[in-house]
């Protein structure tokens, strides 16, 4: 039996310009999650620490981040754990100044060849282990997936691939995404394939046997990578692979909707939003419902920001159906004229454009100062 910690898509040193002054904190979250993975590997006394691509967010991460990775991997190798790194699509080896071309990672196995001529052979816990993996380079890796086929019956054979499974909701067609099918993967005859590239956790299994796993991104990089994030702890023995997921993220991304129909103003709306808060939460909140006055999102955010690590609004509230809109529609003011013209435009607009009209309607009424009167 051997034990693996399998992770991928850490995207260390990724930029987060939308977070403004919190960008550096968010980058540090990703490094803390990397450290958490190292600690988890040591605590569970794994034999191999597998990174199936995109350890870094680009081929040129900062020297400070590279130094932290080198120190972390040394923590593992000093304890007899072998780190195995596979370049991905974000941190590919294509560029001459790629981090994998100019940096040494002492104690780690870096699978940076363009094809698998022969698997890398290691002695792990008295068992012979063979590693199959390659760093995609156009033309040189044209038929590289054929090199993933098991070479012998002896030992434990592990594949590491940064690629796309056909049939997945995240299916991509680019050649560099290395598309494969489950049938093709099974045909390689490997004991386990450590996958990367897709950011959601998924075990590829059939008839009760686990053939491979996407551990997903261990820290949510963008909205859509919501909720808990994981790595995979894998036990390989004569009966096959047993995969256990472990939660490892530092902060959590969520997307929610909040109906503000019952909120009478800024005070009650901000109270309802703040009730969803948490210091480690990055929330994209869709505001819905019929409101009696347009929302000043800047003022609303100013009241609620401190209750979240990051807060982002999508305003889908409706004003056309409100008593407020009907009341000012008859005004002999610039505001009243605007509402009447917007009403006609909404009636004439095709269905796919009505949302844009509603959005413009809200924005203009905020600028008019909808809590007061309109200019004559």
């Amino acid at each position: 039996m051997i034990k693996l910690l399998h992770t991928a898509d850490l995207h260390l040193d990724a930029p987060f310009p939308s977070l403004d002054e919190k960008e550096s904190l968010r980058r540090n979250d990703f490094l803390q999650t990397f450290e958490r993975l190292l600690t988890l590997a040591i605590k569970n006394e794994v034999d191999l620490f597998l990174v199936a691509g995109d350890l870094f967010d680009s081929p040129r991460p900062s020297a400070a981040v590279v130094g932290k990775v080198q120190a972390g991997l040394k923590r593992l190798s000093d304890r007899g754990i072998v780190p195995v790194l596979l370049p991905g699509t974000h941190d590919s080896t294509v560029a001459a100044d790629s981090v994998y071309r100019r940096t040494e990672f002492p104690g780690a196995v870096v699978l940076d060849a363009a094809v698998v001529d022969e698997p890398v052979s290691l002695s792990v816990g008295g068992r012979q282990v063979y590693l199959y993996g390659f760093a995609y380079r156009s033309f040189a890796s044209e038929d590289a997936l054929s090199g993933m086929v098991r070479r012998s019956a002896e030992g434990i054979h592990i594949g590491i691939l940064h690629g796309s499974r056909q049939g997945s909701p995240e299916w991509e067609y680019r050649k560099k995404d290395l598309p494969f099918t489950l049938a093709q993967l099974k045909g390689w005859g490997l004991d386990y394939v450590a996958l990367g590239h897709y950011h959601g956790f998924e075990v590829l299994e059939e008839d009760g046997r686990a053939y491979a796993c996407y551990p997903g991104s261990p820290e949510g990089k963008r909205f859509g990578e919501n909720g808990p994030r994981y790595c995979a702890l894998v036990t390989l023995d004569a009966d096959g692979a047993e995969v256990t997921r472990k939660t490892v993220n530092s902060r959590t991304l969520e997307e929610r909707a909040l109906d503000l129909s019952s909120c009478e103003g800024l005070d009650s709306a901000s109270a309802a939003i703040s009730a969803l808060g948490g210091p480690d939460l990055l929330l994209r909140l869709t505001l819905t419902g019929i409101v009696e006055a347009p929302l000043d999102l800047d003022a609303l955010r100013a009241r609620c920001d401190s209750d979240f690590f990051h807060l982002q609004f999508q305003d889908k509230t409706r004003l056309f159906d409100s008593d407020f809109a009907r009341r000012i529609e008859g005004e002999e003011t610039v505001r009243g004229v605007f509402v009447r013209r917007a009403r006609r435009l909404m009636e004439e607009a095709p269905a796919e454009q009505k949302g844009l009209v509603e959005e413009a309607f809200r924005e203009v009424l905020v600028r008019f100062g909808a809590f007061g009167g309109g200019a004559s």
Side-chain angles (χ1 to χ4, degrees):
M1 182 182 74
I2 67 167
K3 296 172 69 175
L4 324 170
L5 188 147
H6 168 202
T7 186
D9 301 287
L10 285 81
H11 290 279
L12 300 180
D13 214 25
F16 298 98
S18 64
L19 297 183
D20 299 323
E21 71 279 0
K22 291 183 177 178
E23 179 177 21
S24 61
L25 292 175
R26 189 65 182 137
R27 287 190 175 193
N28 191 59
D29 289 343
F30 280 58
L31 285 170
Q32 287 182 344
T33 298
F34 172 67
E35 291 292 332
R36 192 172 295 112
L37 289 165
L38 300 176
T39 300
L40 191 62
I42 293 168
K43 180 179 177 180
N44 285 273
E45 300 180 331
V46 304
D47 299 293
L48 299 174
F49 182 88
L50 308 179
V51 182
D54 288 352
L55 172 59
F56 304 103
D57 191 64
S58 80
R60 306 169 188 86
S62 69
V65 167
V66 172
K68 288 182 181 296
V69 169
Q70 290 173 314
L73 297 181
K74 186 175 185 299
R75 278 181 61 198
L76 298 182
S77 59
D78 285 349
R79 290 164 174 80
I81 300 171
V82 180
V84 181
L85 309 182
L86 180 77
T89 49
H90 280 253
D91 56 3
S92 73
T93 61
V94 173
D97 60 346
S98 165
V99 62
Y100 291 110
R101 290 177 179 260
R102 57 184 168 84
T103 306
E104 296 292 329
F105 296 95
V109 175
V110 180
L111 301 174
D112 56 357
V115 295
V116 182
D117 288 324
E118 289 295 331
V120 173
S121 177
L122 301 173
S123 178
V124 177
R127 301 290 300 276
Q128 202 64 26
V129 175
Y130 299 91
L131 303 174
Y132 299 71
F134 61 93
Y136 178 84
R137 291 193 285 277
S138 57
F139 305 113
S141 302
E142 191 72 32
D143 192 36
L145 286 178
S146 63
M148 299 291 288
V149 176
R150 186 183 186 118
R151 299 295 197 271
S152 70
E154 300 299 322
I156 297 172
H157 298 253
I158 301 170
I160 310 174
L161 179 67
H162 196 78
S164 305
R165 179 180 67 82
Q166 186 173 355
S168 166
E170 299 184 69
W171 168 244
E172 296 180 70
Y173 290 93
R174 299 175 301 178
K175 287 171 59 178
K176 70 177 183 178
D177 293 310
L178 297 170
F180 65 90
T181 65
L182 178 57
Q184 185 178 12
L185 182 147
K186 289 168 57 181
W188 298 336
L190 303 176
D191 296 299
Y192 179 73
V193 180
L195 297 169
H197 187 45
Y198 290 161
H199 286 195
F201 187 94
E202 181 186 16
V203 177
L204 276 58
E205 56 187 346
E206 196 170 84
D207 298 327
R209 177 183 169 183
Y211 290 92
C213 175
Y214 284 105
S217 53
E219 188 73 26
K221 184 182 176 186
R222 61 179 70 87
F223 286 112
E225 300 176 29
N226 303 332
R229 314 302 300 169
Y230 307 104
C231 73
L233 286 175
V234 184
T235 301
L236 283 176
D237 59 24
D239 296 323
E242 179 182 338
V243 180
T244 304
R245 66 182 184 180
K246 292 288 186 180
T247 304
V248 292
N249 51 299
S250 297
R251 301 188 203 268
T252 303
L253 281 75
E254 293 289 353
E255 295 175 275
R256 301 180 191 172
L258 180 64
D259 188 338
L260 296 181
S261 298
S262 61
C263 296
E264 297 180 356
L266 208 59
D267 288 342
S268 56
S270 60
I273 293 167
S274 293
L276 303 174
D280 294 326
L281 179 63
L282 292 84
L283 179 65
R284 180 157 69 185
L285 186 62
T286 300
L287 305 174
T288 65
I290 298 173
V291 294
E292 289 306 310
L295 296 171
D296 185 338
L297 295 185
D298 290 337
L300 197 57
R301 186 178 293 104
R303 293 187 179 212
C304 303
D305 251 354
S306 61
D307 297 306
F308 301 83
F309 181 81
H310 175 69
L311 178 61
Q312 179 178 320
F313 289 134
Q314 289 187 319
D315 189 0
K316 300 296 182 182
T317 55
R318 290 187 56 79
L319 276 169
F320 270 98
D321 302 323
S322 67
D323 291 338
F324 170 78
R326 286 189 287 271
R327 185 171 65 250
I328 67 174
E329 187 174 359
E331 292 179 352
E332 292 305 320
T333 62
V334 173
R335 185 174 67 175
V337 172
F338 167 74
V339 172
R340 292 192 291 275
R341 289 183 177 177
R343 184 81 72 184
R344 289 196 298 272
L345 181 59
M346 176 67 86
E347 292 171 353
E348 297 168 359
E352 65 272 12
Q353 294 182 9
K354 291 185 184 296
L356 292 175
V357 177
E358 178 84 50
E359 184 177 344
F361 186 74
R362 289 193 302 265
E363 178 65 24
V364 172
L365 287 186
V366 168
R367 294 178 184 276
F368 270 129
F371 290 99
S376 60

